Amino acid sequence: MGLHRIFGTSDNEIRVVGCRWAYFPSQLGVGYVQRIGEALSRFTHRYVPDSFIFAILLTLVVYAMGLVFTDRGPYQLVLDWYGGFWNLLAFGMQMTLILVTGYALANTAVVRRGLQRLADWPRSPRQAVALVAFVTGALGLINYGLSLVAGALLALEVGRSCARRGIKVHFPLLVAAGYIGLMIWHGGLSGSAPLTVNTPGHFLEQQMGLLPLTETLFRPFNIIVALVLLFLSPWIMARMHPADGEVVAMPPALAGSSGNGAAAAAEPPLASGGPAEQLTLAERLENSRVLVGLVVVAGVVSIVSAFAQKGIAALDINMVIFIFLVLGLLLHGTPIRYAQAVADGVRSASGVILQFPFYAGIMGIMTSSGLVAVIANWFVAISTPLTFPFWIFVSAALVNLAVPSGGGQWAVQGPIVIQAAQALNLDLGKAVMAVAFGDELTNMIQPFWALPLLGMTGLRAGQILGYTAVVMLAAFVVMSVGLVLLP
């Protein structure tokens, strides 16, 4: 497969002179593009604190708005906050599981072997960057947890392969390419907002009912936007690769490490580390393929039955989690291996676990005080039926800087958006996807979801966010056109 034919990344197409490209569409020099990225990186490094700080600050902002714009007093607002604090426990558990099951699946031997084979495909630095961005984006459309982990693993494997073959690839850009899936994910099969409103019993069901995926994920505008970004993002990332003299190489400690290689991943040792005949009964159960087989068979029967009865409507958030759980168990092979993979994945979900009660508290203030209706009326006042999705998209992009969890953001912003859309008698599906687009867009300058990636690669957020910010600017145009002009 010729990557240069897909992304135009052949070595002869672009000639680097000094720190600027001799050719770039619209005569846009790479130095100019890099300066934009670097400026945005400096801004986020200086002004974007840990996402938990944002959750607290947003709570204070919403509390103050409740005092100013509603008739609730200070004491009543505190009670509203606590009254809502525990209302999203089930939803928070769903968001945690969708991340953890994707994480566990990415750490299976089959996936790791596949990533290692892919790593040897690129024949140039630009092809290496394009490959990582494309694969990560494609995985993001399947599951964002899978994309997060597999993107990091693929960036590492491609970096090692390039180092072995003498290909000088810019490691921070390669790692940035491994984060691109988080700019596409919310329009894919693990999208929190569209899957939530298609799940019976969701927290807005009394207000809006159930919204099928044919009204959100499988709409033409979403499919077109997802495909454009899937191919445009690698193209842009590849063209940001600096000249050889400016390349930051992969650290020797990472380049020389085989990590969890294919051989090791193919057949991990038994839990006790000893011969099978010396295992205790407990250890035999922990390493039993029969137990896993029984669960997998039961799971497959349940999945097939659900889709046979409901068709695509069966693909709600619970079904996505269940499919990844069954796949993970099947590919890990034994209960203990899967349990260990999940334990590792829980670390990446710590922010979700901690912050969701605060998002629920924010929602409690907004709904109980009537603030949600006040803000919804603001959007109604400035919007027309044509511009409403765009303004929701912009507001969601800004809110995501404070509430980086897609599920948490829908919990905070969903009631406002649905009430405003119903007041204008507008398309609820586009309103939901406008929030989804805004949430995923500014992930490119919000380091919350990059933490697992950065931890595995040893980089700082500021080293990759400049590159992803450039892609974000192009994605803003694509998403805006899709929301406003496409059906």
Side-chain angles (χ1 to χ4, degrees):
M1 177 180 179
L3 293 175
H4 63 281
R5 292 184 179 179
I6 298 177
F7 302 112
T9 54
S10 65
D11 289 336
N12 293 328
E13 182 180 359
I14 299 176
R15 178 169 56 88
V16 180
V17 180
C19 64
R20 299 183 65 84
W21 286 348
Y23 167 68
F24 189 81
S26 302
Q27 302 302 313
L28 183 61
V30 66
Y32 178 70
V33 175
Q34 288 178 330
R35 282 197 295 273
I36 294 175
E38 289 168 359
L40 289 171
S41 291
R42 287 194 297 270
F43 174 84
T44 56
H45 179 72
R46 177 172 296 182
Y47 296 110
V48 178
D50 183 85
S51 56
F52 180 50
I53 305 302
F54 264 129
I56 296 174
L57 293 176
L58 185 61
T59 301
L60 297 176
V61 169
V62 171
Y63 181 84
M65 291 177 67
L67 289 174
V68 174
F69 296 109
T70 74
D71 58 2
R72 308 287 271 196
Y75 176 68
Q76 289 83 3
L77 286 173
V78 170
L79 296 183
D80 292 340
W81 174 70
Y82 182 76
F85 203 77
W86 308 113
N87 286 346
L88 292 179
L89 290 181
F91 187 39
M93 187 63 173
Q94 288 173 321
M95 293 299 100
T96 299
L97 283 173
I98 204 169
L99 174 59
V100 169
T101 54
Y103 191 106
L105 183 59
N107 275 287
T108 59
V110 171
V111 173
R112 283 183 174 275
R113 282 197 297 267
L115 295 178
Q116 288 163 349
R117 291 192 180 107
L118 283 174
D120 291 332
W121 284 10
R123 294 293 180 264
S124 72
R126 296 183 187 89
Q127 287 185 17
V129 171
L131 173 69
V132 173
F134 179 78
V135 173
T136 304
L139 292 175
L141 292 174
I142 299 173
N143 178 278
Y144 74 94
L146 177 64
S147 175
L148 273 175
V149 182
L153 295 175
L154 182 59
L156 289 170
E157 294 299 337
V158 169
R160 290 168 186 148
S161 177
C162 288
R164 288 195 305 269
R165 292 179 289 147
I167 299 174
K168 295 182 179 180
V169 63
H170 189 55
F171 188 59
L173 181 60
L174 193 66
V175 174
Y179 190 45
I180 288 298
L182 268 290
M183 193 187 66
I184 304 176
W185 78 277
H186 217 149
L189 297 180
S190 65
S192 301
L195 287 179
T196 296
V197 297
N198 186 45
T199 301
H202 71 88
F203 65 90
L204 292 176
E205 185 174 9
Q206 291 186 352
Q207 183 177 348
M208 63 179 292
L210 295 178
L211 200 62
L213 296 182
T214 52
E215 295 297 314
T216 52
L217 293 182
F218 300 129
R219 290 276 290 275
F221 78 88
N222 183 59
I223 295 172
I224 292 171
V225 167
L227 290 176
V228 169
L229 293 178
L230 180 61
F231 287 92
L232 179 63
S233 300
W235 188 85
I236 294 173
M237 295 292 289
R239 279 156 177 74
M240 282 193 287
H241 198 280
D244 286 351
E246 299 170 353
V247 165
V248 175
M250 189 178 192
L254 290 176
S257 171
S258 61
N260 293 321
E267 190 62 38
L270 296 172
S272 69
E277 60 271 14
Q278 296 179 5
L279 294 179
T280 64
L281 175 60
E283 290 168 340
R284 288 179 184 275
L285 291 173
E286 291 172 345
N287 291 281
S288 172
R289 294 184 181 273
V290 174
L291 291 178
V292 166
L294 292 173
V295 175
V296 169
V297 169
V300 171
V301 170
S302 301
I303 293 168
V304 172
S305 175
F307 279 99
Q309 293 177 21
K310 301 180 181 179
I312 194 63
L315 194 66
D316 58 19
I317 196 166
N318 293 329
M319 180 56 69
V320 170
I321 294 169
F322 191 66
I323 290 172
F324 276 85
L325 172 68
V326 172
L327 279 175
L329 280 167
L330 175 65
L331 295 179
H332 277 284
T334 68
I336 192 62
R337 289 176 195 155
Y338 190 71
Q340 290 167 348
V342 168
D344 291 338
V346 168
R347 296 187 185 95
S348 68
S350 60
V352 175
I353 296 169
L354 172 63
Q355 294 173 36
F356 256 77
F358 285 85
Y359 300 150
I362 291 169
M363 190 177 74
I365 294 175
M366 296 180 72
T367 55
S368 298
S369 69
L371 184 61
V372 62
V374 173
I375 299 176
N377 288 334
W378 293 348
F379 280 106
V380 171
I382 67 170
S383 298
T384 67
L386 180 65
T387 62
F388 178 75
F390 173 77
W391 288 117
I392 294 300
F393 166 55
V394 171
S395 67
L398 296 174
V399 171
N400 182 58
L401 295 174
V403 187
S405 164
Q409 177 163 349
W410 180 246
V412 172
Q413 199 169 6
I416 300 170
V417 170
I418 296 304
Q419 184 161 334
Q422 290 174 330
L424 289 169
N425 196 28
L426 297 180
D427 185 341
L428 294 185
K430 270 208 170 179
V432 171
M433 293 311 298
V435 175
F437 282 7
D439 166 73
E440 64 189 4
L441 179 73
T442 45
N443 281 339
M444 297 298 96
I445 55 172
Q446 161 60 276
F448 175 74
W449 290 115
L451 294 179
L453 175 80
L454 297 172
M456 295 173 70
T457 58
L459 296 182
R460 293 177 291 102
Q463 292 177 276
I464 71 168
L465 291 183
Y467 299 112
T468 55
V470 174
V471 182
M472 182 193 73
L473 296 176
F476 175 80
V477 176
V478 174
M479 292 175 177
S480 298
V481 171
L483 282 169
V484 175
L485 299 181
L486 298 180

